[in-house]
Amino acid sequence: MVYKQLKGKVPIPEVFGWSEDGGQAFIYMSLIGGEPLEQRWGALNDEEREAICKELNGMVKAWRSLEQPGQALYVGGLDNQPLNDIFLSGHRDLAGPFHGADAVQKFQNGCDIEIDGEVPVVFTHDDIVPPNILLSPGPNPVVAAIIDWGQAGWYPAYWEYCKARRVRPNPEYFDEDLDEEWNMRYLPTILDPVDDETVYHPWLSFVLSKGF
């Protein structure tokens, strides 16, 4: 359903099927030629970087503007399933789904995240980090695909930015300086940033309390 809604707006590999063998899941999907952004970013010039961020911003807006199916608001995974966020792993009671007009508050209360005010629920990729962004080969690259949608779902609006800021790319490609520049200069042009004191730090306290 989401694939069809985003077709032509966000490049997503088409999934043909899946199987399980020896406790491992295998997904069969279309092959898209490209290289992970984390491996290319250090060699790109400012103009190329800004063009990629602008392109990503449009894609993010496309999936965050999707309307939640059904009438009742909920925080949860696709098709009313529990959330599959890695920070919630091992805590089934926190994964929902949570329903109703106060779904976000129920979720935050369970996670002990103290964020005040009304927070909308939006569709969230939940792992929009440099390894999951494929770029076309050669000069003047464009976004070839957004991959790894396994944690996607309906989350509080701040979750996408906070998660993207917290997860660090492979230090073999992203040293500390490059990572800081990505988070402070480029990430806010892709995702709407949140206030550190009232949103990011309360969210981060929850993540740290779970050992991440």
Side-chain angles (χ1 to χ4, degrees):
M1 181 66 174
V2 170
Y3 173 80
K4 291 181 179 179
Q5 290 177 298
L6 294 178
K7 191 172 184 179
K9 300 176 183 178
V10 180
I12 305 172
E14 184 175 1
V15 176
F16 301 121
W18 66 278
S19 64
E20 189 172 331
D21 184 20
Q24 287 188 306
F26 296 88
I27 300 175
Y28 302 94
M29 63 180 67
S30 58
L31 177 65
I32 297 180
E35 302 167 283
L37 180 148
E38 72 171 358
Q39 296 180 21
R40 298 281 310 275
W41 194 252
L44 300 180
N45 60 44
D46 286 346
E47 185 177 348
E48 290 172 324
R49 291 179 177 184
E50 289 170 3
I52 289 167
C53 289
K54 183 177 181 180
E55 194 177 6
L56 287 169
N57 178 260
M59 295 176 186
V60 168
K61 286 180 177 177
W63 70 63
R64 288 172 72 85
S65 66
L66 293 177
E67 293 186 5
Q68 197 170 60
Q71 299 297 319
L73 182 73
Y74 80 94
V75 173
L78 295 174
D79 300 322
N80 253 305
Q81 296 298 307
L83 292 168
N84 196 38
D85 187 283
I86 190 171
F87 294 153
L88 302 174
S89 60
H91 303 279
R92 174 63 185 82
D93 56 315
L94 304 181
F98 300 91
H99 297 91
D102 60 346
V104 171
Q105 194 59 55
K106 290 176 183 175
F107 174 61
Q108 292 181 164
N109 289 346
C111 296
D112 199 23
I113 298 176
E114 296 184 8
I115 294 177
D116 296 327
E118 187 173 341
V119 179
V121 175
V122 298
F123 185 76
T124 301
H125 176 280
D126 198 38
D127 206 11
I128 185 69
V129 291
N132 294 332
I133 302 165
L134 300 186
L135 302 182
S136 61
N140 300 312
V142 298
V143 178
I146 305 294
I147 62 173
D148 202 353
W149 293 76
Q151 299 179 64
W154 299 94
Y155 292 78
Y158 57 79
W159 199 274
E160 186 108 83
Y161 171 82
C162 293
K163 178 78 173 290
R165 179 172 163 181
R166 175 62 179 168
V167 177
R168 188 178 176 192
N170 188 336
E172 180 180 350
Y173 306 108
F174 260 62
D175 60 22
E176 289 187 9
D177 290 340
L178 199 60
D179 185 52
E180 182 177 3
E181 184 184 45
W182 168 262
N183 282 330
M184 297 298 106
R185 178 178 175 182
Y186 294 106
L187 186 61
T189 69
I190 299 170
L191 292 161
D192 291 335
V194 301
D195 181 72
D196 275 8
E197 184 176 350
T198 60
V199 180
Y200 183 68
H201 289 160
W203 178 89
L204 182 60
S205 293
F206 157 72
V207 171
L208 294 174
S209 74
K210 301 307 175 190
F212 291 97

